[in-house]
Structures are given as C-alpha cells and as structure tokens.
Amino acid sequence: RLRTRVLGSSDADAASKTLFNIASAARRAMGTDTDGTPLFPSGSRTGHYRLSESVTTDVERSADLATLGSSAQDPDEAMALLRAALDLIESEPMANALSGYTWWEAEGHGARVAAVAVNAACKLAVLAVSAQLFDLAYWGLAQARLVDPYSEAISRSAMQVAAAAGDADQFRREWRECQRRIDELDPGGSPSPRTERLYGELSQRLFAHVSPGRED
C-alpha cells in the first residue's frame, strides 16, 4: 500500500531507495511525540511501516466518541458524547482533495465515516427530542448531512423531529427535501417504502386537527 501511495499506481513497483527517501521525508515532517519518539518510526526489517499509536485522526476520534455515546446509560452524557463526535465534522471528507485519494472510497473509509455520522446523528436526535432540545436534534442531523447528504435515515429522523416539535411547515419541507434528494440521486426515483410509510404515519398524527385543505 505504501508503494502504491508513492507511485500513485498499483501497476508498478517502487525501488527500496525511493520508498526509504519518501519515508524519511515524512518522518522528518511529522516530528516526534513528547518523549522524542518519531511519530512515523523506521520500518521493520521486513520493510513494514506503521504510524505511532500517538497519531490519531478526526475520523477515529469521532468514531470512538460515537461508540461511547451510543453505549452511555445517562442521556445527558450520551448527548454530550454524540455531540462531540459530530462536532468534529467540518465538511465533506476529502472534498478538497483533487487527486491521490481514490483509496479513501476504494478501501471503504467513506462508507464507514458516513455510517458513523448518520447513526450518531439519529441517536442524538432521539435523545434530544426526549429532552425537548429540537435545535440540537436538527444541528446533529445537519452535521451528518455534510458526510451523507442523500441519507434517507437522516430524512426520516428529521421528519420525526419536526413532527415531535409540532412544526408542520418543517415537516413538509423535510419530506419535499427528501423527495428532491432522491430524484437528484436517481432521476424519477421515489423515497423507499419505509420512508413513505413513516411520512404517512406522522402525517396522520401531525395533521389530525388540521383541515384537509391545508395538508399536502
């Protein structure tokens, strides 16, 4: 994998000296930890390179926080951890990478990050609604949408938040946005039966006391 990164292709091999020089440059650039140990240690005798355990990424931290939040028993603690996980999302991952990062999707990192973000946001929304913190619920879903803008799970959760808040206008907007996103992704397509059923169920509750002429 390191050879592929250096060469930009898996169709050729890199000379040992080339890899050594690239690794040395990366080692100098990354520096050392507080004990003076290189963050990118020298390769093993078999040529195996591995980053120091001190090196982490926002992706890993977000996933760890989301896992802790999902297992926390106290609702306030769970919300704090899930919020911290989602707060690490600043934009679509790799959105500004012009080239050299095809491995991000090829190795499944993109899908895993999306799953973590969507699950964390949906769980946060449930807890936030229970605490009547509707703005927090919407914020978490908006953060997850930066990673997976076409997620129907987020749309379903957003409709549930709007229905719980009694916000009929927002509920309609979320449904229309869901339809728009699906059509953008798959022209002529429609939301899944699960999403349509949820819309129908929530509509009956939300518009129970609204005149039929106002529902759309």
Side-chain angles (χ1 to χ4, degrees), residues 75-76 89 183:
D76 289 336
I89 300 173
D183 184 67

Side-chain angles (χ1 to χ4, degrees), residues 28 54 67 76 127 138 182:
R28 288 193 300 272
S54 299
T67 298
D76 289 336
L127 293 169
Y138 285 129
I182 293 299

Side-chain angles (χ1 to χ4, degrees), residues 9-43:
S9 170
S10 59
D11 298 330
D13 199 2
S16 298
K17 185 177 181 180
T18 301
L19 290 172
F20 179 81
N21 291 338
I22 293 292
S24 295
R27 187 173 302 111
R28 288 193 300 272
M30 293 183 68
T32 62
D33 61 18
T34 54
D35 297 324
T37 303
L39 294 175
F40 184 33
S42 300

Side-chain angles (χ1 to χ4, degrees), residues 62-178:
S62 182
D64 290 343
L65 287 166
T67 298
L68 291 172
S70 298
S71 59
Q73 298 301 311
D74 179 70
D76 289 336
E77 179 185 1
M79 283 192 289
L81 289 166
L82 292 170
R83 180 172 185 170
L86 293 165
D87 197 39
L88 288 170
I89 300 173
E90 297 180 354
S91 63
E92 178 187 353
M94 300 299 177
N96 297 323
L98 300 179
S99 63
Y101 290 91
T102 54
W103 55 268
W104 173 259
E105 292 295 341
E107 296 181 8
H109 298 300
R112 283 193 289 274
V113 170
V116 167
V118 170
N119 289 337
C122 291
K123 289 175 181 177
L124 177 60
V126 171
L127 293 169
V129 165
S130 296
Q132 300 291 295
L133 299 173
F134 301 112
D135 286 343
L136 176 59
Y138 285 129
W139 171 84
L141 294 171
Q143 288 294 99
R145 271 185 172 143
L146 292 174
V147 179
D148 191 354
Y150 298 104
S151 170
E152 278 196 59
I154 294 178
S155 292
R156 288 193 294 269
S157 187
M159 287 193 292
Q160 289 173 315
V161 173
D167 191 337
D169 290 337
Q170 182 63 29
F171 178 77
R172 291 188 185 98
R173 281 194 293 270
E174 291 294 349
W175 171 244
R176 290 167 182 157
E177 229 353 71
C178 178

